[in-house]
Amino acid sequence: QVQLMESGGGLVQAGGSLRLSCAASGIFFRLTSMGWYRQVPGKQRELVAQITSRGSTKYADSVYGRFTISGESAKHTVYLQMNSLKPEDTGVYYCNVNGGLSDYWGQGTQVTVSS
């Protein structure tokens, strides 16, 4: 019953911006956090940004100062504003929800940054 709907990915030039959105619906045992993970071929999926139910945030060192995560708790929606994009930001971005008992994942949205 839990599903995540992602949007906002695309193709941009280096230095450009994108805004990702993720809306979660369904029944959660406990909504602990929502976040964004990135995966590229040959590498393990890694955390990009996360926001907890208390409002605290966490960022990967590679995106700190360029990306901003925010959310609307009443709507169970999280956003990722990505500025000053670099080619190394390219990958499939997955929305993640920690529901207390387990993690839930979106299908992913492709972000490609050309040089």
Side-chain angles (χ1 to χ4, degrees):
Q1 290 184 326
V2 176
Q3 56 183 356
L4 308 180
M5 300 181 63
E6 302 151 308
S7 63
L11 173 64
V12 298
Q13 292 183 316
S17 298
L18 286 173
R19 185 171 187 256
L20 306 184
S21 299
C22 176
S25 62
I27 301 175
F28 302 95
F29 174 74
R30 180 166 53 220
L31 183 57
T32 302
S33 67
M34 297 184 69
W36 292 94
Y37 288 71
R38 179 173 63 206
Q39 188 165 33
V40 298
K43 293 185 177 181
Q44 190 173 29
R45 190 176 300 182
E46 64 177 355
L47 175 68
V48 175
Q50 181 185 67
I51 184 168
T52 72
S53 60
R54 301 290 187 268
S56 62
T57 58
K58 180 188 297 183
Y59 297 93
D61 290 342
S62 62
V63 307
Y64 184 79
R66 299 186 297 117
F67 291 10
T68 302
I69 189 169
S70 61
E72 299 180 44
S73 59
K75 298 171 60 177
H76 296 111
T77 301
V78 66
Y79 307 94
L80 185 66
Q81 179 67 46
M82 305 186 293
N83 297 325
S84 302
L85 283 162
K86 303 176 180 179
E88 49 263 44
D89 295 321
T90 294
V92 179
Y93 285 69
Y94 294 89
C95 181
N96 167 263
V97 171
N98 187 306
L101 293 178
S102 61
D103 286 337
Y104 301 94
W105 297 91
Q107 292 186 329
T109 183
Q110 177 70 43
V111 172
T112 302
V113 184
S114 64
S115 59

